[in-house]
Amino acid sequence: MRAVSVLAICAMATIGSAASAQEVDWKKVDEAIGRSAAVVSGDVHRYGFPRTDLTVTLDGVTIKPALALGGWTAFKPMHGGAMVMGDLVLLETEINPVMAKLIENGIEITAVHNHVLRATPLTFYMHIGGHGDPVKLATAIRTALAESKTPLTPPAAPASPPPAIDLDTAQIDQIIGAKGQANGGVYQIGVPRRDPVSESGMQLAPVGPLGLATAIGFQPTGGGKAAITGDFVLTANEVNPVINTLRSNGIEVTAVHSHMLNEQPRLFFMHFWANDDAVKLAKGLRAALDKTASAKS
């Protein structure tokens, strides 16, 4: 996801001074990172780096980039400059070269881990954060990604529209309690938490491009079935109730870890996987959401 998701946040790495938040020149940031923002929400600009170069299969399913291969970075004006957070999708051999360039240019690493199991090839996820001049931040990220085979040129417009979502999305929305949207052949839903989340004293939006909502993706696999993955955003006391509920509903828990370093309250991110009847899986996900302090629409 954030993948949907996703989801790390800045740990106050210092990369230099910048103009005030009101004076961020987003055109220069676009030029430095090599593409226009895929999402602009309020004062946050989010850039997508999907691994369209990879063909990743898991349990016989070819994973669409929008389901679990959507690397991204998001910039938000903060403290006289900008903060950046991001989630880079990398192969095992790319982790250390990319990390070395990030560290060399002042970007902090906040997590490195898997999101799914048994995938071929295996993919890993590097969460990053920084603060400073947004153009320097963007340049540092692009320089680091050049050490991988992540496509750095803006994606071409698709020759044809993506296939329709062959699922009962209205029923899925009703069960989950949130309205989803189609993206690249995947049906994506974000469910925010009720309680506020802050980082370095700044309150962050519970839903949107910063990746603080539970992210769920449904990729149709035929006959009303779907492959699902994403991540739950949880406080410590919610982790094991959600694990038990997902497992009892036939949904595999594939990772539990942090994405950030200094957030309040402390959050944990739980990734999951299943390929089964989409309505059945939606009910299992809803049961797990009921174990959390998630907002309901």
Side-chain angles (χ1 to χ4, degrees), residues 65 68 83 110 118 131 156 194-195 225 256 280 284:
M83 55 79 76
T110 61
R118 302 182 303 281
H131 178 264
R194 292 195 300 267
D195 303 325
K225 296 175 66 175
V256 181
K280 171 188 171 183

Side-chain angles (χ1 to χ4, degrees), residues 24-25 46 67 77 87 111 162 210 224 260 265 290:
V24 171
D25 189 334
R46 175 167 163 152
L67 183 68
D87 183 6
L210 295 179
M260 300 176 278
D290 286 341

Side-chain angles (χ1 to χ4, degrees), residues 1 4 8 12 16 22 44 48 60 82 89 100 110 140 146 160 167-168 197 225 230 234 237 254 272 281-282 289 294:
M1 178 85 35
V4 184
M12 305 308 293
Q22 292 79 11
V44 176
V89 183
T110 61
S160 58
L167 298 171
D168 188 344
V197 176
K225 296 175 66 175
L234 306 169
N237 64 331
T254 58
F272 56 88
L281 293 176
L289 285 166
S294 297

Side-chain angles (χ1 to χ4, degrees), residues 128-219:
I128 62 173
H131 178 264
D133 182 307
V135 175
K136 291 182 179 179
L137 292 166
T139 301
I141 292 166
R142 183 179 170 86
T143 299
L145 283 174
E147 297 295 313
S148 73
K149 293 186 178 180
T150 302
L152 295 179
T153 55
S160 58
I165 302 296
D166 185 22
L167 298 171
D168 188 344
T169 56
Q171 188 175 7
I172 290 171
D173 288 347
Q174 182 180 27
I175 293 167
I176 298 294
K179 176 65 177 174
Q181 62 180 7
N183 177 24
V186 176
Y187 196 64
Q188 299 176 329
I189 304 176
V191 183
R193 293 187 61 81
R194 292 195 300 267
D195 303 325
V197 176
S198 65
E199 169 72 15
S200 301
M202 176 174 284
Q203 187 164 325
L204 304 175
V207 68
L210 295 179
L212 295 177
T214 289
I216 299 168
F218 289 79
Q219 179 180 316

Side-chain angles (χ1 to χ4, degrees), residues 51-284:
R51 291 303 301 259
T52 53
D53 60 310
L54 298 177
T55 300
V56 178
T57 60
L58 173 52
D59 295 347
V61 177
T62 299
I63 295 175
K64 294 182 181 295
L67 183 68
L69 303 173
W72 59 273
T73 61
F75 293 75
K76 177 179 175 62
M78 181 179 179
H79 298 330
M83 55 79 76
V84 66
M85 54 187 287
D87 183 6
L88 311 180
V89 183
L90 302 171
L91 296 175
E92 185 175 5
T93 55
E94 297 171 338
I95 292 173
N96 280 305
V98 170
M99 183 183 291
K101 284 294 183 182
L102 290 168
I103 294 170
E104 178 183 323
N105 290 290
I107 301 287
E108 289 201 348
I109 313 302
T110 61
V112 180
H113 47 231
N114 68 293
H115 284 180
V116 294
L117 304 172
R118 302 182 303 281
T120 304
L122 289 172
T123 51
F124 296 85
Y125 301 79
M126 183 180 295
H127 298 270
I128 62 173
H131 178 264
D133 182 307
V135 175
K136 291 182 179 179
L137 292 166
T139 301
I141 292 166
R142 183 179 170 86
T143 299
L145 283 174
E147 297 295 313
S148 73
K149 293 186 178 180
T150 302
L152 295 179
T153 55
S160 58
I165 302 296
D166 185 22
L167 298 171
D168 188 344
T169 56
Q171 188 175 7
I172 290 171
D173 288 347
Q174 182 180 27
I175 293 167
I176 298 294
K179 176 65 177 174
Q181 62 180 7
N183 177 24
V186 176
Y187 196 64
Q188 299 176 329
I189 304 176
V191 183
R193 293 187 61 81
R194 292 195 300 267
D195 303 325
V197 176
S198 65
E199 169 72 15
S200 301
M202 176 174 284
Q203 187 164 325
L204 304 175
V207 68
L210 295 179
L212 295 177
T214 289
I216 299 168
F218 289 79
Q219 179 180 316
T221 55
K225 296 175 66 175
I228 61 167
T229 191
D231 56 354
F232 280 74
V233 184
L234 306 169
T235 54
N237 64 331
E238 296 169 343
V239 169
N240 278 287
V242 170
I243 286 176
N244 293 335
T245 302
L246 289 174
R247 287 175 56 84
S248 67
N249 282 277
I251 300 170
E252 179 183 19
V253 175
T254 58
V256 181
H257 45 228
S258 61
H259 286 176
M260 300 176 278
L261 296 176
N262 299 303
E263 79 282 5
Q264 293 294 328
R266 191 78 174 109
L267 297 175
F268 298 87
F269 295 76
M270 183 182 298
H271 298 266
F272 56 88
W273 170 263
N275 181 20
D276 203 340
D277 179 80
V279 171
K280 171 188 171 183
L281 293 176
K283 291 177 180 177

